[in-house]
């Protein structure tokens, strides 16, 4: 089915806007393709170093140079539940490569920090920039030029965007992303949220809170709420970089292991040495980017991707803007209710029909481009599938469900949860910002209240505990942007603000910081740009200023004349050292604004 007028128009705007930069990018790929595989022209000492530690079989294959060699770029560590399963993946991939007539080597590791562990701590100020470190680390891993394709082992928040940016810098190489899957369902997400709120009110103690958290995050796999990690995984599938249906299969199962083996085989099948060459730089085009945005909107995904998608697209020479996201949001219905946008988790989403059902519905409504390249060598219709094991234990792709198995979790386009994607760009005299409305009650989409200004999460929490926030209020938390302190997530603000809202007060948050995919039920205008540390208008707000946030009209304004005021300065010296922050001073100095991806690599 042809795409709708809006999908077509937005895609064409991106194509036209990106024409020169995309051409430069593709020319770079073509130049690299001309020397692929590079290892055949390496000096004898170079190639000898490359296979010195391999076993006899792999050494002979690499010495001969005719078999494809697969790079494994891994974000494995034991700190992330989502990444712990990757410990055994290299052995599985190497065995699958040998069985397919190729070889595989761990090319390098990339750092992977857990935002859950660092939440509210100083380590969180490294989080956003870890994306760019991961991109740099990926480039280091692939710089040996020993490889014909690569598989990427990464799941969580900044890791997948960083891997994508790195992979696109080697856009002539085919790339297959291999997920690890979500942990099995633990404590109900809604119940977990209630316990956090009770703790914020002082009604329960640390022991009760810790017990609830431990029952929520209890084993290997991604956290089961629909934050950035699971939004990443959705994106990789709807952009054609995962095997169809592979995203939300739990770790430690025979099906998950079969997916890993098949992913390795698929990567070897699409190298330049064969007849089905599919480099990532060609797959990751303007239509794939639009498909990713549509998937994010239709599932109510993470607001972090309003930055990551722009940075990822820029790495492929594609100029995506917040205006594009806003235009698409108005045309894409919300088809999923997964916590924090509902009570279900991603396991329930998968059981209701999962990605195969979602993609079929969006394709049928003309909301996705079918005519794209994927690692499977098919258009996107090849992704209306789910994965199973046949009686012999072999992986097979079957048609996904044609009707939802649970319409409380996943619906078709004929009966959406709401007609728009629930992600709005706000404009006004504060500049630009983003709001996620899919989890906010309809009667809270418009808030007008006096400002209370804070320069840290801790200041707001202290005011909450002192009882000085018991009123209608717009909490302004500034100097939280990329240049100020690396733009940490501000999840600790959600419980106290939710308590105030439940007391009946009209409450909202305005910040140049981040809230991720778990922003919750309180209206939050986030990623305000220009940020306070850049002299943005948010630095001119004073206590008592009336602020109007209107998510329906897409506006955010201070109802006062800001032009005559000087921007407040803040002492940011405390953010400059400790927990490794001194090493990121250069990153903070050159980071772009949130609307340009908040990246050190610049923008198009």
């Amino acid at each position: 089915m042809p795409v709708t007028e809006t999908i077509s128009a937005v895609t064409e705007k991106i194509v036209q806007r990106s024409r020169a930069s995309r051409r430069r990018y593709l020319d770079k790929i073509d130049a690299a393709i001309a020397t692929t595989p590079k290892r055949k022209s390496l000096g004898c000492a170079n190639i000898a170093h490359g296979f010195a530690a391999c076993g006899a079989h792999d050494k002979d294959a690499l010495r001969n140079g005719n078999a494809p060699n697969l790079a494994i770029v891994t974000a494995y560590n034991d700190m992330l539940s989502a990444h712990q399963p990757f410990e055994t993946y290299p052995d599985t991939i190497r065995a699958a490569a040998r069985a397919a007539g190729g070889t595989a080597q761990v090319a390098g590791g990339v750092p992977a920090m857990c935002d859950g562990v660092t939440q509210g701590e100083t380590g969180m100020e490294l989080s956003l920039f870890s994306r760019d470190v991961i991109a740099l680390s990926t480039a280091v891993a692939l710089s040996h030029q020993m490889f014909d394709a690569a598989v990427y082992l990464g799941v969580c928040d900044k890791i997948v965007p960083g891997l994508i940016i790195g992979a696109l810098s080697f856009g002539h190489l085919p790339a297959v992303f291999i997920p690890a899957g979500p942990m099995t369902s633990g404590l109900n997400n809604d119940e977990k949220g209630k316990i956090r709120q009770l703790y914020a009110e002082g009604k329960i103690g640390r022991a009760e809170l810790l017990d609830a958290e431990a029952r929520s995050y209890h084993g290997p796999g991604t956290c089961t709420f629909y934050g950035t990690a699971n939004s990443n995984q959705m994106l990789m599938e709807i952009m054609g970089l995962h095997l169809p249906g592979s995203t939300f299969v739990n770790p430690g199962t025979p099906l998950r292991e079969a997916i890993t083996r098949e992913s390795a085989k698929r990567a070897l099948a699409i190298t330049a040495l064969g007849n089905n060459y599919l480099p990532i730089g060609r797959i990751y085009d303007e239509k794939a980017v639009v498909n990713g945005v549509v998937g994010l909107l239709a599932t109510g995904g993470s607001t972090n991707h309003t930055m990551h998608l722009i940075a990822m697209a820029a790495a492929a020479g594609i100029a995506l803007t917040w205006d594009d996201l806003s235009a698409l949001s108005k045309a894409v219905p919300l088809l999923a209710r997964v916590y924090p946008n509902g009570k279900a988790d991603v396991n329930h989403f998968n059981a209701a029909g999962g990605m195969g059902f979602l993609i079929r519905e969006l394709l049928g409504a003309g909301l996705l481009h079918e005519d794209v390249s994927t690692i499977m060598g098919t258009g996107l219709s090849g992704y209306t599938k789910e994965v199973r094991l046949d009686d012999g234990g072999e992986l097979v792709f079957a048609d996904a469900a044609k009707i939802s198995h649970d319409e409380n979790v996943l619906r078709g386009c004929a009966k959406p949860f709401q007609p728009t994607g629930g992600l709005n760009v706000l404009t006004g005299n504060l500049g630009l910002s983003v709001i996620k409305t899919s989890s906010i009650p309809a009667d809270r989409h418009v808030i007008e209240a006096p400002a209370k200004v804070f320069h840290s999460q801790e200041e707001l929490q202290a005011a909450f505990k002192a009882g000085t926030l018991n009123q209608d209020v717009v909490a302004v938390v500034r100097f939280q942007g990329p240049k100020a302190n690396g733009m940490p997530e501000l999840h600790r603000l959600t419980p106290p603000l939710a308590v105030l809202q439940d007391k009946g007060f009209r409450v909202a948050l305005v910040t140049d910081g981040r809230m991720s995919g778990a922003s919750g039920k309180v209206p939050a205008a986030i990623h305000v740009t220009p940020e306070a540390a850049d002299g943005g208008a948010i630095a001119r707000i004073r206590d008592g200023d009336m602020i109007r946030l209107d998510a329906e009209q897409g506006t955010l304004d201070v109802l006062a004349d800001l032009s005559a005021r000087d921007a407040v300065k803040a002492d940011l010296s405390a953010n400059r050292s400790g927990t490794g922050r001194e090493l990121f001073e250069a990153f903070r100095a050159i980071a772009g604004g949130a609307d340009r991806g908040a990246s050190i690599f610049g923008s198009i």
Side-chain angles (χ1 to χ4, degrees):
M1 180 174 178
V3 294
T4 65
E5 183 177 343
T6 298
I7 302 297
S8 177
V10 171
T11 305
E12 184 58 26
K13 283 182 180 178
I14 296 170
V15 169
Q16 293 301 326
R17 189 189 307 130
S18 311
R19 188 170 297 281
S21 53
R22 180 66 174 168
R23 183 67 265 162
R24 289 193 297 271
Y25 176 76
L26 294 176
D27 287 346
K28 182 182 76 170
I29 289 179
D30 290 342
I33 289 170
T35 60
T36 298
K38 180 70 174 179
R39 70 174 180 280
K40 287 192 173 183
S41 61
L42 292 177
C44 292
N46 304 71
I47 192 72
H49 277 290
F51 60 63
C54 293
H57 176 275
D58 290 354
K59 186 176 291 189
D60 287 346
L62 287 167
R63 183 171 186 152
N64 179 279
N66 292 322
N69 187 34
L70 187 59
I72 304 169
V73 181
T74 178
Y76 159 72
N77 67 40
D78 287 336
M79 281 298 303
L80 280 77
S81 61
H83 287 206
Q84 187 274 337
F86 287 141
E87 181 177 12
T88 61
Y89 276 36
D91 284 342
T92 300
I93 292 166
R94 281 189 284 259
R98 291 180 191 121
T103 55
Q105 296 176 289
V106 173
V110 302
M113 65 182 293
C114 181
D115 287 1
V117 173
T118 57
Q119 196 63 242
E121 303 296 331
T122 54
M124 174 53 77
E125 295 179 19
L126 278 60
S127 173
L128 179 59
F129 291 141
S130 75
R131 177 195 66 192
D132 298 352
V133 173
I134 290 161
L136 295 169
S137 301
T138 301
V140 171
L142 298 176
S143 66
H144 301 95
Q145 302 188 88
M146 288 279 295
F147 311 108
D148 302 285
V151 292
Y152 297 90
L153 311 184
V155 174
C156 289
D157 295 22
K158 315 310 165 298
I159 294 99
V160 169
L163 289 171
I164 282 283
I165 293 168
L168 287 168
S169 73
F170 287 76
H172 62 288
L173 292 178
V176 175
F177 282 69
I178 306 180
M183 69 177 70
T184 56
S185 300
L187 180 67
N188 177 278
N189 282 307
D190 195 40
E191 182 64 22
K192 176 184 67 179
K194 290 176 182 176
I195 291 171
R196 286 178 174 177
Q197 195 160 315
L198 289 171
Y199 180 76
E201 295 177 86
K203 294 180 178 178
I204 61 171
R206 177 180 169 86
E208 292 88 346
L209 177 63
L210 180 57
D211 178 67
E213 300 289 0
R215 286 187 287 135
S216 298
Y217 310 116
H218 62 89
T222 58
C223 308
T224 58
F225 67 86
Y226 196 53
T228 312
N230 286 315
S231 297
N232 282 337
Q233 301 310 296
M234 178 281 301
L235 285 171
M236 293 302 95
E237 185 159 341
I238 208 165
M239 288 179 161
L241 295 171
H242 276 177
L243 294 188
S246 66
T247 294
F248 296 122
V249 174
N250 301 126
T253 62
L255 180 56
R256 174 52 69 197
E257 184 168 346
I259 289 168
T260 302
R261 290 195 303 268
E262 185 62 29
S263 295
K265 289 167 59 180
R266 190 66 206 156
L268 291 171
I270 58 177
T271 74
L273 298 180
N275 298 318
N276 190 25
Y277 179 42
L278 293 169
I280 186 176
R282 295 284 182 182
I283 290 176
Y284 206 96
D285 64 7
E286 296 90 342
K287 290 182 178 180
V289 167
V290 170
N291 283 352
V293 174
V294 169
L296 185 78
L297 296 168
T299 55
S302 171
T303 54
N304 274 331
H305 279 295
T306 62
M307 294 183 296
H308 295 328
L309 281 165
I310 289 171
M312 291 154 64
I318 298 168
L320 180 70
T321 70
W322 278 3
D323 285 342
D324 300 325
L325 271 65
S326 183
L328 291 169
S329 184
K330 293 178 175 66
V332 176
L334 182 69
L335 302 185
R337 284 282 190 203
V338 184
Y339 188 86
N341 308 322
K343 296 183 179 181
D345 66 27
V346 293
N347 291 310
H348 303 130
F349 168 82
N350 199 46
M355 291 299 300
F357 174 87
L358 177 80
I359 291 171
R360 176 186 285 114
E361 283 295 315
L362 292 170
L363 280 172
L367 296 170
L368 289 175
H369 293 284
E370 199 284 330
D371 55 334
V372 293
S373 295
T374 70
I375 62 166
M376 301 302 290
T378 68
L380 198 59
S381 57
Y383 278 69
T384 59
K385 303 290 182 181
E386 63 182 30
V387 286
R388 300 175 185 169
L389 294 178
D390 64 17
D391 292 340
E394 295 298 314
L395 192 73
V396 295
F397 299 96
D399 288 340
K402 291 183 171 60
I403 59 170
S404 172
H405 298 309
D406 187 348
E407 289 196 342
N408 293 315
V409 179
L410 181 61
R411 294 185 181 180
C413 291
K415 189 183 176 183
F417 290 103
Q418 62 186 48
T420 62
L423 186 68
N424 295 346
V425 175
L426 305 178
T427 61
N429 62 2
L430 286 180
L432 296 175
S433 61
V434 171
I435 186 169
K436 179 178 176 180
T437 60
S438 53
S439 59
I440 301 171
D443 65 346
R444 300 281 169 162
H445 285 197
V446 180
I447 301 290
E448 186 173 316
K452 286 275 192 178
V453 182
F454 305 95
H455 288 181
S456 71
Q457 296 184 80
E458 292 75 19
E459 286 183 12
L460 185 147
Q461 289 173 315
F464 171 76
K465 290 176 180 177
T468 60
L469 290 181
N470 288 315
Q471 62 180 75
D472 291 352
V473 64
V474 174
V476 178
V477 184
R478 62 192 180 194
F479 294 101
Q480 303 299 309
K483 290 185 182 299
N485 62 354
M487 206 179 191
E489 290 178 355
L490 307 174
H491 284 183
R492 283 192 174 181
L493 302 181
T494 300
L497 293 176
V499 169
L500 296 174
Q501 181 168 277
D502 287 351
K503 287 181 177 180
F505 297 121
R506 307 287 291 175
V507 179
L509 172 69
V510 173
T511 181
D512 48 10
R514 294 186 293 130
M515 290 291 283
S516 179
S519 50
K521 62 186 180 181
V522 175
I526 60 177
H527 305 176
V528 171
T529 186
E531 64 173 289
D534 234 4
I538 190 173
R540 294 177 169 84
I541 300 174
R542 297 173 182 167
D543 282 348
D545 283 345
M546 292 299 293
I547 296 180
R548 181 176 175 83
L549 185 161
D550 189 333
E552 295 174 355
Q553 296 300 315
T555 59
L556 176 66
D557 288 292
V558 180
L559 306 183
D561 182 8
L562 301 179
S563 61
R565 299 181 185 175
D566 292 331
V568 170
K569 305 291 185 182
D571 180 4
L572 301 174
S573 58
N575 301 326
R576 295 303 190 242
S577 64
T579 330
R581 288 177 291 175
E582 59 272 20
L583 302 177
F584 286 76
E585 181 69 25
F587 284 51
R588 289 189 292 271
I590 64 174
D595 60 330
R596 301 191 305 279
S599 173
I600 67 168
F601 302 125
S603 58
I604 295 174

